[in-house]
Amino acid sequence: MYSERPIHGGIYESRGDVLAVVHNHSPSVVPFSVTDTPLRPMFHLAALIGPELPVWDIRDNFQDTSLLVTTMEQGRDLARCLGDRRVSLMRGHGCVIAGKSIREVVMASVYLQVNAGLLLESLRLGEVKYLSPSEIELMSASQMRPTSQERAWEYWANRAGRPTGENGR
Ligand SMILES: [Zn+2]
């Protein structure tokens, strides 16, 4: 069994709307979990990650640990930080993405990482223009359309060498 299953347990317990959870250690995302520079969407396909991403720090309530989320108390604490959002960063560790389907959380995970990489590049050049709240709302609605998710899922499934099947599964 994966030691960090309380990440998933804590979120499923607190969010009746969540049917899929991704946890990963994206190296592009981690820098934003340990600095004051916020990770916000500046690339249209990253609208799905939401306007503000909280950073959960396991040390706030559990002192020094391995940083792994191995107890339900820790999982619940992370779920509280996530609140009703789709994404939370985890200080010095990675991130968690919650949503209504595997396709949705995979799409948000991919573009969270892409946006983090683009933002790191952009910050080197100067001041960054982020997506506005309305742009985030409009683009998210477009990304949540089944056809948008089908197309992206098919592409990623093909890239991974997996058949998408009759229903794109
Ligand atoms: Zn982890």
Side-chain angles (χ1 to χ4, degrees):
M1 293 289 274
Y2 288 99
S3 65
E4 293 200 285
R5 58 190 183 278
I7 291 173
H8 303 255
I11 294 170
Y12 285 131
E13 185 182 71
S14 68
R15 292 273 299 270
D17 61 314
V18 167
L19 297 172
V21 173
V22 164
H23 166 59
N24 68 57
H25 306 148
S26 166
S28 306
V29 170
V30 172
F32 295 96
S33 77
V34 296
T35 60
D36 289 337
T37 304
L39 176 45
R40 293 166 50 198
M42 41 69 78
F43 173 53
H44 71 307
L45 291 171
L48 207 59
I49 67 176
E52 285 179 19
L53 285 64
V55 179
W56 179 69
D57 188 346
I58 195 169
R59 197 158 57 203
D60 286 347
N61 291 322
F62 302 96
Q63 289 82 44
D64 288 343
T65 64
S66 66
L67 277 84
L68 299 175
V69 181
T70 55
T71 70
M72 274 307 289
E73 288 70 31
Q74 293 167 345
R76 288 179 181 123
D77 196 54
L78 171 58
R80 271 192 294 276
C81 177
L82 176 68
D84 60 1
R85 301 174 190 87
R86 192 173 274 128
V87 179
S88 177
L89 307 193
M90 300 162 70
R91 193 267 305 166
H93 181 164
C95 55
V96 66
I97 300 99
K100 291 179 172 57
S101 71
I102 290 177
R103 291 174 195 200
E104 176 189 330
V105 291
V106 167
M107 179 181 264
S109 301
V110 167
Y111 290 121
L112 174 66
Q113 168 156 307
V114 170
N115 189 88
L118 291 173
L119 184 52
L120 284 168
E121 287 293 312
S122 304
L123 287 166
R124 294 166 56 194
L125 298 177
E127 200 171 324
V128 175
K129 274 190 185 172
Y130 295 92
L131 301 189
S132 72
S134 295
E135 286 172 337
I136 291 170
E137 204 172 297
L138 291 165
M139 187 59 198
S140 294
S142 168
Q143 288 182 287
M144 289 299 286
R145 285 203 308 261
T147 47
S148 301
Q149 299 211 349
E150 287 287 329
R151 200 176 305 135
W153 185 260
E154 193 178 316
Y155 171 71
W156 289 318
N158 282 332
R159 267 189 60 175
R162 309 291 297 181
T164 52
E166 197 174 281
N167 298 315
R169 294 207 171 101

